[in-house]
Amino acid sequence: EAQVTQNPRYLITVTGKKLTVTCSQNMNHEYMSWYRQDPGLGLRQIYYSMNVEVTDKGDVPEGYKVSRKEKRNFPLILESPSPNQTSLYFCASSFGGRQETQYFGPGTRLLVL
Amino acid sequence: GENVGLHLPTLSVQEGDNSIINCAYSNSASDYFIWYKQESGKGPQFIIDIRSNMDKRQGQRVTVLLNKTVKHLSLQIAATQPGDSAVYFCAEAYDKVIFGPGTSLSVIP
């Protein structure tokens, strides 16, 4: 089944404790992206990647890191999480880039205490 | 600034009626528009898209209308069913994708 998977789905952590949210897609998509979703603000892009070893900042990259060592994986790293990073995070992928349909993962709900 | 917004944050419709969800976009350079559906506890799911060289596109029970003159996008759902209850997002794309805040659609049985 073609899908985007994220792990973990739910995470509670404390300020400053490094964490990684994994994202994997099995559709051989070149483009992958991370979004955060907050009430009233819609989806905002954190980082995106056009291909392996190519990553770029989105609209809200502060406090986040990403890597794209393999085509299928695009982990999101929070080196020192803070409470304002409490949010619902979505990974997405598409074949050709922003102007192609993006397929979203199920989401990761993060609470930073 | 750049904005993709929705006229109504919530919409309630009777089962069987048609639903219309509206969206305004601000960038006249946007040339690709997408509607997503997000059910509770799930990620957004693609419904239908339209490119700027079209003004109407139909899918199964859904129609998207694009009015570039007034920068307006709408999603029409025919014969709305309880399974259509969800949050619907519009998005515009040019050199990046911007999502609207979403409209919550509730279907009354």
Side-chain angles (χ1 to χ4, degrees), chain B residues 47-48 57-64 75-78 88:
Chain B
I47 302 172
I48 192 167
R57 191 164 188 220
Q58 289 184 292
Q60 189 175 17
R61 282 200 309 118
V62 294
T63 300
V64 55
L75 176 70
Q76 301 178 1
I77 304 173
Y88 290 82

Side-chain angles (χ1 to χ4, degrees), chain A:
Chain A
E1 179 189 357
Q3 60 183 352
V4 178
T5 57
Q6 296 177 227
N7 282 292
R9 294 290 313 280
Y10 304 91
L11 181 59
I12 301 174
T13 190
V14 296
T15 298
K17 185 176 181 181
K18 181 179 178 180
L19 67 90
T20 299
V21 184
T22 65
C23 173
S24 183
Q25 51 92 6
N26 62 1
M27 295 170 279
N28 201 35
H29 285 168
E30 294 182 344
Y31 182 88
M32 298 187 74
S33 181
W34 275 103
Y35 296 89
R36 59 178 290 173
Q37 185 177 44
D38 301 290
L41 296 177
L43 287 161
R44 294 181 293 167
Q45 191 175 52
I46 302 171
Y47 268 95
Y48 64 95
S49 169
M50 298 294 288
N51 213 325
V52 175
E53 302 292 359
V54 179
T55 62
D56 282 296
K57 296 178 180 179
D59 297 316
V60 288
E62 293 77 22
Y64 304 94
K65 285 175 56 176
V66 292
S67 68
R68 188 88 182 276
K69 295 186 172 64
E70 305 165 281
K71 198 171 189 178
R72 63 182 294 130
N73 297 323
F74 190 46
L76 179 70
I77 303 154
L78 283 71
E79 294 272 3
S80 183
S82 62
N84 65 12
Q85 292 178 298
T86 292
S87 187
L88 179 58
Y89 292 87
F90 288 102
C91 181
S93 72
S94 68
F95 183 71
R98 296 187 188 90
Q99 297 233 0
E100 299 293 332
T101 302
Q102 293 191 58
Y103 295 85
F104 285 82
T108 295
R109 188 167 290 281
L110 173 65
L111 173 62
V112 184
L113 300 172

